[in-house]
Amino acid sequence: MIISKNPYTGEEISRIKEFTKNDIENALANAEKRFHSWKSTSFDKRAELLLNLAKELKENSKEYATDISLEMGKPISQSIAEIEKCAWVCEYYAENGEKQLANEKIKTDAAESYVSFEPLGVILAVMPWNYPFWQVFRFAAPALMAGNIAVLKHASNVMKSAASIQKAFERAGFPKECFQSLAIGSDKVEVIIRDPRVKAVTLTGSNPAGSAVASVAGEEIKKTVLELGGSNALVVFEDAKLPETVKTCVMARFQNTGQSCIAGKRLLLHKNIAEEFLEEFTKQVRELKSGNPMDEETFIGVLAREDLAKDIEEQVQKSLKMGAEIILGGNRDSAYYEPSILINVKPGMPVFDEETFGPVIGVTIFKDEKEAIELANHSKFGLGVSVFTEDLDFAKKIIPKFNDGAVFINDLVKSDPRLPFGGTKSSGYGRELSEHGIREFVNRKTVYFK
């Protein structure tokens, strides 16, 4: 049995029977069989079903959001927002998928030549618990619109959410085999990747998990997309508008109780505004309401598991011993960790070098543009960076100097169905969302007429 527990109360939420070898075989056989008919469905039909799915999510957002909040502790208001975003990505691909996959004509010496974009087949998605619906939908919506079939291996602590996602697809009218959640542990992933019916793999998760999946897929010569960790810098220059910037930085770090790969985890402040900024930033963080995730007023819930809170606690304590200073928070109670701010943070400390997956931010002071860019790039990760300045010409000049997959000016890094999402370095490779995402799991076929 795979058991889900409420991290806030410790109560058991659900028990789901783990798939047997025969269950896995049936699921993959059914997926492959469905692919042969699904790839021939019209774009209009696929779009119709995606719009049905968006409607289902909107009409029952509280039901699905409750699963998220009970299973991994996300505050209910943020869980509802997550469901609404899933509806948005369905609508986006219903409206744009056909155009994004239209034949791309290329002028050559041929009578006619073009590139077509054809589905690969059954795609395995290995997904994490921190956005248990959104991470799945940002893969599944474009994959299905492209004519592929999706099978999901979700994180073991959100298997009820996984079952609810499958239920949503079926309620919307998708053939049952188009999207299947596999109730399996991580030990079964390798055999599924190696199965010849599975044509590609996408993973959002930790670096060790990504490395393991990519290694197996590489041996099988199968396409992978990896969305891994991040340690985004929030770079605040001297001319930034402080009230708006403080508010944005608080949201960037502490939404979803800090459990986000694209959260702003390292706060880099220009020396001339650091004191004023920190005073207001600390005030606003202190005012964030912690409590029961099911309370609509709660902004900071618990971490998804107690061991994750212990990991954050260890990173903070090691950093303090290395010279960092804590000015807010620093206490843990089971799976709850207080929103915390550390100053005097330097490269080499865990809260600077590692991904802190919880409500903790490290503050580092810089003296000029050169040092700010060096600090931002001083990371094994490369998911995104936020830059705050009123000089947009200056911002445009320094954008190429950052090594990340995304640069946001005067805003937090976020995923948007209209924009490609993905990182560099240890943050992974490949892109999700937009035209770039829907074209990841297709055969780009060159066609040439003499």
Side-chain angles (χ1 to χ4, degrees):
M1 287 289 181
I2 300 177
I3 300 172
S4 291
K5 290 186 176 181
N6 183 329
Y8 183 73
T9 65
E11 296 174 355
E12 185 177 310
I13 297 170
S14 69
R15 285 176 174 252
I16 295 177
K17 184 181 178 182
E18 188 166 357
F19 273 28
T20 64
K21 185 177 180 180
N22 191 53
D23 292 331
I24 295 172
E25 168 59 32
N26 288 338
L28 295 180
N30 291 335
E32 183 184 44
K33 182 178 179 182
R34 173 58 63 184
F35 172 64
H36 294 302
S37 59
W38 180 249
K39 68 179 180 180
S40 300
T41 57
S42 67
F43 281 114
D44 285 344
K45 181 60 178 177
R46 296 176 204 166
E48 176 189 341
L49 290 171
L50 279 177
L51 291 175
N52 287 349
L53 182 54
K55 183 179 179 183
E56 164 65 23
L57 292 169
K58 288 178 177 179
E59 290 180 349
N60 297 291
S61 61
K62 187 66 179 289
E63 173 190 341
Y64 296 122
T66 297
D67 287 339
I68 295 173
S69 294
L70 291 178
E71 258 190 325
M72 56 74 62
K74 189 193 302 286
I76 187 66
S77 61
Q78 297 174 38
S79 295
I80 290 172
E82 180 175 339
I83 299 300
E84 291 171 348
K85 193 169 185 178
C86 292
W88 179 22
V89 78
C90 292
E91 292 168 342
Y92 172 79
Y93 280 110
E95 295 165 3
N96 296 284
E98 182 175 6
K99 296 191 292 286
Q100 292 167 340
L101 296 174
N103 290 346
E104 185 179 301
K105 293 184 178 180
I106 299 175
K107 187 175 182 180
T108 67
D109 56 358
E112 181 182 6
S113 52
Y114 59 87
V115 177
S116 64
F117 304 93
E118 300 175 5
L120 294 180
V122 180
I123 314 297
L124 170 65
V126 182
M127 292 292 150
W129 47 262
N130 61 326
Y131 287 89
F133 271 67
W134 170 243
Q135 307 280 22
V136 175
F137 273 85
R138 76 182 190 192
F139 148 73
L144 288 164
M145 189 63 186
N148 292 304
I149 298 296
V151 291
L152 168 68
K153 188 283 174 203
H154 219 325
S156 296
N157 60 325
V158 290
M159 281 295 178
K160 189 174 189 297
S161 292
S164 293
I165 293 171
Q166 181 169 328
K167 179 171 64 177
F169 274 92
E170 292 173 8
R171 283 178 173 177
F174 277 88
K176 185 176 181 180
E177 302 84 3
C178 279
F179 180 95
Q180 296 179 83
S181 173
L182 311 180
I184 59 172
S186 298
D187 59 323
K188 301 294 195 306
V189 170
E190 179 175 344
V191 71
I192 294 174
I193 295 173
R194 294 191 187 281
D195 192 291
R197 291 166 294 195
V198 172
K199 304 304 181 186
V201 190
T202 181
L203 176 140
T204 300
S206 69
N207 289 69
S211 180
V213 163
S215 177
V216 175
E219 289 180 11
E220 298 295 327
I221 319 298
K222 293 183 180 181
K223 174 71 178 289
T224 54
V225 169
L226 301 182
E227 301 291 355
L228 307 177
S231 186
N232 293 4
L234 301 163
V235 187
V236 184
F237 285 98
E238 186 176 9
D239 65 336
K241 285 186 177 180
L242 258 58
E244 295 91 334
T245 301
V246 169
K247 185 177 179 180
T248 300
C249 288
V250 171
M251 181 65 70
R253 170 65 280 204
F254 294 100
Q255 65 175 332
N256 200 30
T257 316
Q259 299 170 114
S260 173
C261 57
I262 56 172
K265 301 182 175 80
R266 296 177 295 142
L267 181 57
L268 311 182
L269 303 176
H270 189 279
K271 61 184 179 65
N272 291 347
I273 52 93
E275 184 177 349
E276 181 184 358
F277 186 99
L278 264 179
E279 183 178 353
E280 180 60 25
F281 184 79
T282 303
K283 175 178 175 290
Q284 291 191 24
V285 173
R286 186 181 286 114
E287 292 172 351
L288 297 176
K289 185 180 186 302
S290 298
N292 189 336
M294 294 306 297
D295 183 345
E296 292 185 359
E297 298 301 314
T298 295
F299 188 85
I300 298 290
V302 290
L303 299 192
R305 300 189 311 266
E306 185 175 354
D307 64 294
L308 300 170
K310 289 179 178 179
D311 289 343
I312 285 287
E313 184 177 43
E314 182 178 353
Q315 289 173 312
V316 168
Q317 291 304 314
K318 284 183 177 179
S319 298
L320 294 177
K321 290 178 181 177
M322 296 173 72
E325 180 183 342
I326 196 158
I327 61 171
L328 184 69
N331 298 307
R332 180 182 68 84
D333 181 6
S334 298
Y336 172 73
Y337 196 87
E338 281 185 309
S340 303
I341 303 172
L342 280 73
I343 60 172
N344 300 328
V345 172
K346 296 177 173 59
M349 297 180 182
V351 295
F352 190 98
D353 289 357
E354 300 173 9
E355 181 174 28
T356 50
F357 218 66
V360 171
I361 192 161
V363 182
T364 305
I365 310 300
F366 65 87
K367 63 181 182 297
D368 54 27
E369 167 196 334
K370 181 175 181 292
E371 185 178 20
I373 293 168
E374 287 176 351
L375 287 167
N377 287 335
H378 190 95
S379 175
K380 68 178 181 179
F381 300 106
L383 198 50
V385 59
S386 292
V387 176
F388 298 89
T389 175
E390 286 304 293
D391 188 342
L392 299 188
D393 288 334
F394 168 70
K396 290 176 181 177
K397 183 190 78 172
I398 65 173
I399 285 171
K401 298 181 181 180
F402 294 105
N403 299 329
D404 300 73
V407 179
F408 278 60
I409 308 300
N410 296 325
D411 205 352
L412 52 85
V413 176
K414 53 194 171 184
S415 55
D416 182 319
R418 299 163 293 189
L419 296 170
F421 179 84
T424 62
K425 300 188 284 186
S426 289
S427 289
Y429 52 75
R431 292 296 180 265
E432 293 184 311
L433 303 176
S434 78
E435 176 182 296
H436 299 274
I438 199 171
R439 290 184 174 186
E440 283 285 4
F441 295 116
V442 295
N443 174 20
R444 296 171 173 84
K445 182 179 287 184
T446 296
V447 180
Y448 183 101
F449 289 86
K450 185 173 180 180

